[in-house]
Amino acid sequence: MTVAPDRCADISARHPLAPLTVAEAGTAASLALRTVGTGSRLVYCALVEPPKATVSGWDGTPLPREVMCVVYHKPERATWMVTVRLDTGQGAGVVSATTVPGVQPPITDEEWAANAEQVKADPAFRASLARRGITDLSRVQVDPWTASNFGLDVDKTGRRLGRGVAYVIDGPGSNPYARPVENLVAIVDRDTGEVIEVQDGEVVPVPQDPGRYDAASTQWRELSPLRILQPNGPGFTLDDGCLRWGPWQLRLSLHPIEGLVLHEVCWVDSERARPRPILYRASMSEMIVPYGSTSLNHWWKNAFDAGDIGLGKTANSLELGCDCLGEIVYMDAVSVDENGDATALKNAICLHEEDYGILWKHVDPLNKTSETRRSRRMVVSSIATVGNYEYGFFWYFYLDGTITAEIKLTGIIQTQAVSPGTRVPYANPVTPELAGPHHQHIFSFRLDMCLDGPANSVYEVDAVPVLSGPGNPYGNAFTTRSTLLETESQAQRMAAPDKARYWKIVNHGVLNACGEPVAYKLIPTHASAPLLAQPEAAISARATFATKHLWVTPYRPDERRPAGDFTNQHPGGAGLPQWTAADRPVTDTDIVLWHTVGVTHFCQPEDFPVMPCEYTGFTLKPFGFFDRNPAIDLAPACT
Ligand SMILES: [Cu+2]
């Protein structure tokens, strides 16, 4: 990858990865809907990223822009992928339109709202609510979850399904998850609105505590005002998706499914006077929230919040002073509804600088001198609201070359009503009337590496004690063991904190001043427990990515989603397990790392009524990528 440092700003043509505009998305969506015909609904549309070689070798000549639209044709229950070229010379045109058999696209807002009402209107469901003393349907909320796939008869029908659960609501600002209707599930056909089955178990009293968390219902504790000011404005620029800050240069976009995506992440090296590529593309490409409860309302809950719903589709419009503090620059994204109407999603990505304490310091007591440099990081973030949960996706870029990804998990837990004073299995009490079922949040980061070029390899590096003997006469020695991961099967790895394990990504073709290949290390700081479901459980086949902390694959442009392109109701086997069955070589070639991180969530009273952020993520740190501390040239913070 040879990227000129000023290519994003100084060339008049839009960069091939410049974000989709409202006009582009609207044009493509309406053409796609017209092509598929009456009864079609737009699920999402995304820029077709041109081939990597085209992007890397781009010389500023305008390239055709293409948009891929996923369309659901309800009358025929068919999923379509329609690719639109925006400027063919005679305006926009469809270049391909194909159906994808046997898959279900992500669910839409329109379906969620309609299915909720359809479940509420069902006589059997109403009878079950009435059995619990609930007759005022205006005070009932139904969440029609994605249905998963367990190979049951209902799954084999090929219908587009939802599993609905109910809550009692107490007006605006109330917390539905405080008052779940336990042991009642409706299976709905999303296309026809027919409630296929109502599963009604033991009646558990609906909890009475409204669990409110809104500002009007709480006593406030005021904090001393805190202002973050940059009198000369922010120290970065954003130009049509291209961010430049200090030595860092990268592009940003918001993908409807993956959410925040980083492209062409480079370090612009002042010494070598050229941009040095590190990542070609990075995103949180899929996630799964498997529940570990056996109870009627929870055993089937397996949320692929990216693939089943979409983390860009559910991204928030962020608010200054609340979501982001300081000298903020926002980047808008595009929202497209089921009719193909495109609008700006304002303030979808937040950019700002943060002070991060000291970066390096030394006091020389003899000479009574002191040198200190402050650390500052560039923060790029977006937040998605998926049903009851919020997920904040934060990327941090540091002046020493470190990149950190952090996910902040907040929002409201899934709740299980319990009779006061009782305990239920596979769940912890959070209030006298509520339990929180055990569950995991497992995320797969797709890291398309490009360390000083595409030919990269990965070593697993462990800290190893050395047995006492002639080579270790004092018993104190320890060393490292580096193992080259040569094939896809060898590269399916687990974290090992007791071995201080990390994975070192190298370019054997570029050496540093010590004669070693340039490298970054992937530090699995939050690898957590892998998928805890049994191997024979349906979710193990559907979210196999979650069973390992690391996978490495050779780059293929169509291998983007670790559980397959269409996760909704998918029976499993797609994505990483399918691709890696070929056991392809992964050395000295263009490789993609898939890093699994997560939170295994055993709920606690402090998680209610809203959960304080839990954190997960990882760190990419230079390891001989530079010849010395790359932040040695920072200006002193005080003189
Ligand atoms: Cu959780």
Side-chain angles (χ1 to χ4, degrees):
M1 192 163 98
T2 50
V3 185
D6 55 358
R7 61 186 279 182
C8 3
D10 300 344
I11 293 171
S12 57
R14 294 191 76 208
H15 187 277
L17 299 175
L20 212 52
T21 65
V22 170
E24 288 176 328
T27 300
S30 60
L31 254 180
L33 287 171
R34 209 180 312 150
T35 301
V36 177
T38 309
S40 58
R41 312 301 291 156
L42 197 284
V43 181
Y44 70 88
C45 58
L47 180 73
V48 177
E49 295 172 20
K52 196 185 264 194
T54 305
V55 175
S56 299
W58 185 61
D59 61 1
T61 309
L63 289 176
R65 305 258 296 168
E66 291 187 352
V67 182
M68 193 280 290
C69 302
V70 172
V71 175
Y72 187 59
H73 189 248
K74 212 166 155 175
E76 291 179 355
R77 295 176 180 265
T79 303
W80 285 74
M81 291 173 73
V82 182
T83 302
V84 174
R85 183 168 286 194
L86 291 166
D87 190 358
T88 60
Q90 289 91 39
V94 171
V95 291
S96 71
T98 52
T99 54
V100 190
V103 303
Q104 295 289 348
I107 64 170
T108 63
D109 290 348
E110 178 181 75
E111 285 178 307
W112 183 279
N115 298 153
E117 292 308 311
Q118 288 150 358
V119 169
K120 281 166 65 174
D122 180 69
F125 195 77
R126 287 184 175 203
S128 292
L129 289 173
R131 199 159 81 84
R132 290 161 171 82
I134 305 163
T135 52
D136 181 359
L137 291 169
S138 71
R139 295 182 60 218
V140 173
Q141 171 179 316
V142 168
D143 284 5
W145 276 59
T146 50
S148 301
N149 187 327
F150 303 94
L152 304 173
D153 288 344
V154 70
D155 299 313
K156 292 174 185 163
T157 60
R159 288 181 170 201
R160 185 163 170 78
L161 299 174
R163 279 185 154 89
V165 287
Y167 304 89
V168 174
I169 49 178
D170 297 305
S174 78
N175 178 355
Y177 306 104
R179 307 195 66 198
V181 179
E182 204 57 45
N183 292 329
L184 178 60
V185 177
I187 302 180
V188 60
D189 181 321
R190 295 198 190 279
D191 294 322
T192 63
E194 176 193 356
V195 173
I196 299 169
E197 190 179 338
V198 172
Q199 299 170 342
D200 188 351
E202 180 197 348
V203 172
V204 178
V206 174
Q208 293 303 304
D209 182 347
R212 294 185 79 104
Y213 56 89
D214 54 312
S217 312
T218 46
Q219 287 262 325
W220 301 352
R221 248 186 309 159
E222 294 284 359
L223 300 175
S224 173
L226 177 66
R227 303 263 180 267
I228 297 169
L229 302 173
Q230 290 186 276
N232 298 334
F236 60 91
T237 60
L238 179 70
D239 180 8
D240 202 15
C242 180
L243 168 65
R244 301 162 94 184
W245 177 72
W248 289 104
Q249 179 180 299
L250 59 147
R251 302 198 65 87
L252 305 171
S253 67
L254 192 80
H255 187 278
I257 300 300
E258 296 166 275
L260 187 53
V261 180
L262 314 180
H263 309 268
E264 293 195 314
V265 179
C266 293
W267 178 277
V268 183
D269 191 319
S270 56
E271 285 187 4
R272 301 192 190 201
R274 64 182 172 90
R276 300 181 64 190
I278 294 169
L279 283 153
Y280 179 75
R281 190 181 190 280
S283 70
M284 201 301 294
S285 59
E286 192 54 86
M287 57 175 287
I288 180 67
V289 188
Y291 281 76
S293 164
T294 55
S295 72
L296 184 66
N297 277 33
H298 307 283
W299 69 269
W300 46 268
K301 285 178 178 167
N302 289 306
F304 289 86
D305 287 325
D308 287 358
I309 310 277
L311 297 169
K313 288 179 71 179
T314 52
N316 295 180
S317 280
L318 301 169
E319 207 173 319
L320 187 61
C322 293
D323 296 304
C324 330
L325 191 63
E327 284 287 339
I328 305 297
V329 171
Y330 287 108
M331 182 169 147
D332 295 346
V334 178
S335 176
V336 190
D337 70 12
E338 295 84 353
N339 297 314
D341 292 330
T343 49
L345 176 62
K346 302 297 284 181
N347 297 0
I349 299 174
C350 170
L351 298 106
H352 71 285
E353 293 168 273
E354 266 179 14
D355 181 88
Y356 197 63
I358 61 161
L359 175 56
W360 60 262
K361 172 174 178 126
H362 186 60
V363 176
D364 183 334
L366 194 62
N367 293 311
K368 297 189 170 39
T369 58
S370 172
E371 295 283 347
T372 307
R373 302 293 183 271
R374 287 202 71 75
S375 179
R376 194 182 292 187
R377 62 186 186 181
M378 180 73 220
V379 187
V380 179
S381 65
S382 100
I383 303 175
T385 299
V386 190
N388 52 302
Y389 262 113
E390 264 74 16
Y391 296 104
F393 298 94
F394 288 69
W395 290 88
Y396 304 111
F397 296 88
Y398 297 83
L399 294 165
D400 66 351
T402 300
I403 302 170
T404 299
E406 181 179 69
I407 302 174
K408 301 183 185 188
L409 299 83
T410 179
I412 307 176
I413 59 168
Q414 280 293 303
T415 47
Q416 177 174 359
V418 296
S419 298
T422 62
R423 293 283 184 268
V424 289
Y426 313 118
N428 285 350
V430 292
T431 78
E433 303 173 295
L434 285 174
H438 304 337
H439 61 280
Q440 298 182 279
H441 305 256
I442 309 179
F443 305 88
S444 176
F445 279 91
R446 180 182 183 276
L447 305 172
D448 182 350
M449 300 304 302
C450 192
L451 269 195
D452 271 342
N456 291 171
S457 304
V458 183
Y459 290 85
E460 179 168 282
V461 183
D462 285 350
V464 181
V466 178
L467 291 176
S468 296
N472 183 18
Y474 313 109
N476 64 308
F478 57 92
T479 185
T480 56
R481 180 173 52 226
S482 263
T483 308
L484 179 64
L485 306 178
E486 295 189 38
T487 68
E488 288 178 301
S489 63
Q490 287 176 26
Q492 293 170 21
R493 309 301 306 161
M494 301 303 288
D498 59 325
K499 296 182 172 64
R501 177 171 291 171
Y502 59 86
W503 295 293
K504 190 168 77 167
I505 304 123
V506 308
N507 185 332
H508 287 126
V510 181
L511 305 182
N512 60 26
C514 301
E516 297 286 332
V518 294
Y520 256 71
K521 62 178 177 179
L522 169 59
I523 309 171
T525 51
H526 289 79
S528 189
L531 188 69
L532 290 165
Q534 292 298 301
E536 65 275 15
I539 193 58
S540 297
R542 301 184 68 223
T544 309
F545 70 83
T547 62
K548 306 286 180 191
H549 291 134
L550 181 74
W551 305 68
V552 184
T553 58
Y555 170 79
R556 297 287 182 274
D558 54 343
E559 295 181 1
R560 290 266 290 271
R561 309 280 311 291
D565 288 341
F566 293 96
T567 54
N568 188 11
Q569 293 181 242
H570 196 280
L576 280 170
Q578 184 183 2
W579 308 325
T580 58
D583 202 15
R584 298 166 292 187
V586 290
T587 55
D588 299 323
T589 189
D590 191 356
I591 51 171
V592 176
L593 275 70
W594 308 77
H595 181 36
T596 306
V597 305
V599 170
T600 296
H601 193 176
F602 297 112
C603 299
Q604 58 212 28
E606 292 85 349
D607 289 341
F608 199 78
V610 179
M611 183 181 136
C613 284
E614 289 270 351
Y615 301 90
T616 186
F618 66 89
T619 294
L620 274 170
K621 201 171 178 62
F623 197 87
F625 187 75
F626 302 107
D627 292 337
R628 59 174 186 169
N629 176 353
I632 208 77
D633 58 355
L634 276 181
C638 49
T639 49

